[in-house]
Amino acid sequence: MTTFLMFYQEIGPGLTALVILTFLLAGAVKGTIGLGLPTVAMGLLGLAMPPAQAAALLIVPSTLTNLWQLASGGHLLVLMRRLGGLLLMIFVGTLLGSAWLGIDNGPWASHALGGALLVYALLGLLGRGLQVPAAGEKWLGPLCGLLTGVVTAATGVFVLPAVPYLQGLGLGRDELIQALGLSFTVSTLALAVGLAGQGALGGQALGASLLALAPAVLGMLAGQWLRGRISALLFRRCFFVGLALLGCHLLLNG
């Protein structure tokens, strides 16, 4: 238990409170719209700690909440066959990106994170989705997977360009939510391997990440309750505006 608490003892009560509130909020966003936990967590924690440290914290909450999301829907085998190239190249791209770039403690990593958040927010606010032709899936899926892996390795954010690609496949609502869970699960596991290879995911970091699971799950349950009580469109707009502001801050100030 001491190993689990050591990280929080070292960062102090102020940053510990930030971690708890961040995962409550990130879980609530994911529970409401089906994505956003790593994006919100990396954005907020990136204000106060190096991206590599923030990425290590999200490994356990992201993995387990994505598996939760992945387990529902009944389309798993069909999606795994259809998205096999995307998923394989996400894993490969993340490992290659970790070896080539990696999330280090330098200021460029925070700037890269801010840029990724800002691009994703602007795409969400513009609402211009990608339309993927059936004939293009065989080459576009692996390409998007490779690019997503490199972005994941550099920033800890899993969404670009995988999320716009998945949204452009014309999947039903349940299929899309399950496909997002599948993509994010692969991205998280690949990121964990990459962080471990950089020495950023030891026992202390995993213990701290495990303790962050509780607020993430509570937030996700709250988000699922909230989903049927507010306008999904309004919530998404507020989410993307906040993400854009956060991205601008990180991009400019690092």
Side-chain angles (χ1 to χ4, degrees):
M1 191 64 182
T2 302
T3 302
F4 280 48
L5 296 175
M6 191 178 301
F7 172 82
Y8 296 102
Q9 291 171 344
E10 290 178 358
I11 65 174
L15 278 181
T16 298
L18 174 64
V19 171
I20 293 172
L21 292 173
T22 292
F23 279 102
L24 279 171
L25 177 60
V29 171
K30 184 175 181 65
T32 305
I33 63 175
L35 70 161
L37 189 149
T39 310
V40 173
M42 286 298 299
L44 291 177
L45 294 178
L47 296 172
M49 61 181 64
Q53 195 174 48
L57 279 176
L58 66 83
I59 293 298
V60 173
S62 181
T63 299
L64 294 184
T65 55
N66 285 326
L67 287 173
W68 179 0
Q69 180 175 332
L70 177 61
S72 61
H75 307 285
L76 182 58
L77 293 179
V78 174
L79 289 172
M80 287 182 68
R81 286 194 293 267
R82 184 173 182 181
L83 304 176
L86 171 79
L87 300 174
L88 175 63
M89 294 311 295
I90 285 175
F91 202 93
V92 171
T94 303
L95 296 186
L96 290 176
S98 296
W100 173 38
L101 300 170
I103 304 178
D104 65 11
N105 295 335
W108 76 267
S110 294
H111 293 306
L113 173 58
L117 294 178
L118 181 58
V119 170
Y120 179 51
L122 291 176
L123 287 174
L125 288 170
L126 291 173
R128 295 182 179 177
L130 177 69
Q131 298 298 319
V132 180
E137 287 186 37
K138 288 186 178 180
W139 65 269
L140 190 56
L143 177 60
C144 286
L146 180 64
L147 294 175
T148 299
V150 173
V151 173
T152 297
T155 67
V157 174
F158 312 155
V159 294
L160 291 174
V163 170
Y165 171 80
L166 291 173
Q167 290 172 333
L169 292 178
L171 300 172
R173 181 180 178 277
D174 291 340
E175 287 180 299
L176 178 59
I177 289 177
Q178 196 168 20
L180 289 170
L182 184 59
S183 172
F184 295 159
T185 298
V186 172
S187 294
T188 306
L189 294 176
L191 179 62
V193 174
L195 288 171
Q198 297 174 55
L201 194 62
Q204 181 178 329
L206 279 175
S209 180
L210 181 61
L211 291 181
L213 176 63
V217 170
L218 287 175
M220 193 168 176
L221 290 172
Q224 290 176 340
W225 175 86
L226 190 64
R227 184 188 298 170
R229 290 166 173 79
I230 65 169
S231 165
L233 180 60
L234 176 61
F235 186 89
R236 287 179 66 88
R237 284 178 179 170
C238 292
F239 167 64
F240 284 124
V241 168
L243 211 59
L245 294 173
L246 188 60
C248 284
H249 176 79
L250 288 169
L251 184 62
L252 296 175
N253 299 310

